[in-house]
């Protein structure tokens, strides 16, 4: 779908109550891949002679890859360039994805609800394009107007760039686009873009804050809730 078509869809079919679009994170939000990433990192570093623990997991959840690899190199002292290490972790992660990716509880229902009510959805991920394309086989590309990968913007999360770009492509106002995220990194990106945020924590805890609603599961996210978080901002 082109940017022009998507913008027309928003303007013609936008929600009369203020909601224009929903911008969704992927890993840990719509699909249960955070364990896949962690397993890839743990097994790779074990082979390199280093043991990662749950304290490390809290530091690496949510990406982006550059930050995660910098942390892991500094933490372990492994003599591998962060960029090369990132390639190794990605390769291991892709191997784990081969058997398919489980959806998070409530993900399919939410996407079907957005489809049924003509609310545009965009997938905004810190994962790279080749990973997104694999996950979409399980998630369903037809649910999204477009997808944005972490390697397709100059600055990825926690910077606002990916969410600002998504709103721009949709022809929507950031304040009328609800961001749904599972990590502190993603929440910061959505809030920096000026979007209302619904946080569904997966691994790292997220505290409530002004303009941010924290729920325990996507099963709690319905159209009324999405409309309500926008209504408090417009």
């Amino acid at each position: 779908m082109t940017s022009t078509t998507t913008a027309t869809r928003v303007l013609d079919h936008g929600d009369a109550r203020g909601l224009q679009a929903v911008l969704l994170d992927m890993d840990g939000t719509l699909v249960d891949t955070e364990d896949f990433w962690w397993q890839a990192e743990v097994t790779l570093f074990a082979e390199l002679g280093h043991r990662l623990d749950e304290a490390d997991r809290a530091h690496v959840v949510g990406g982006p890859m550059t930050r995660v690899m910098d942390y892991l190199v500094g933490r372990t002292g492994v003599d591998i360039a962060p960029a090369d290490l990132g390639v190794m972790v990605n390769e291991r992660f892709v191997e784990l994805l081969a058997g398919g990716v489980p959806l998070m509880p409530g993900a399919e229902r939410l996407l079907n609800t957005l489809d049924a009510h003509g609310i545009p959805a965009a997938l905004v991920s810190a994962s790279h394009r080749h990973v997104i394309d694999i996950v979409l086989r399980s998630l369903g590309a037809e649910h999204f107007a477009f997808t944005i990968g972490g390697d397709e913007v100059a600055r990825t999360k926690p910077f606002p760039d990916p969410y600002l770009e998504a709103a721009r492509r949709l022809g929507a106002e950031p304040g009328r686009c609800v961001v749904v995220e599972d990590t502190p990194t993603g929440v910061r990106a959505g809030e920096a873009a000026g979007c209302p945020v619904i946080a569904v924590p997966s691994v790292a805890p997220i505290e409530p804050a002004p303009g941010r609603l924290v729920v325990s599961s996507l099963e709690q996210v319905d159209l009324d809730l999405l409309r309500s978080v926008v209504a408090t901002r417009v």
Side-chain angles (χ1 to χ4, degrees), residues 87-209:
V87 171
M88 296 166 68
V89 170
N90 258 299
E91 290 174 348
R92 183 67 56 90
F93 177 70
V94 169
E95 291 172 6
L96 294 172
L97 294 181
V101 183
L103 273 61
M104 297 296 286
E108 183 175 13
R109 177 199 55 78
L110 174 59
L111 293 173
N112 287 337
T113 296
L114 296 176
D115 288 342
H117 289 84
I119 305 297
L123 185 69
V124 183
S125 178
S127 290
H128 288 192
R129 168 54 49 193
H130 70 284
V131 171
I132 292 174
D133 288 342
I134 293 172
V135 172
L136 284 174
R137 298 171 194 166
S138 299
L139 192 55
E142 68 276 7
H143 292 298
F144 306 101
F146 55 83
T147 63
I148 295 177
D151 56 340
E152 296 171 335
V153 288
R155 302 183 305 174
T156 190
K157 306 171 189 180
F159 293 100
D161 304 39
Y163 285 117
L164 290 173
E165 173 63 12
R168 184 194 67 79
R169 290 192 198 180
L170 289 165
E173 302 169 26
R176 296 176 65 186
C177 297
V178 178
V179 165
V180 184
E181 276 278 0
D182 73 304
T183 68
T185 299
V187 167
R188 288 197 298 272
E191 291 175 343
C195 301
V197 174
I198 296 177
V200 191
S202 58
V203 177
I206 301 172
E207 297 298 323

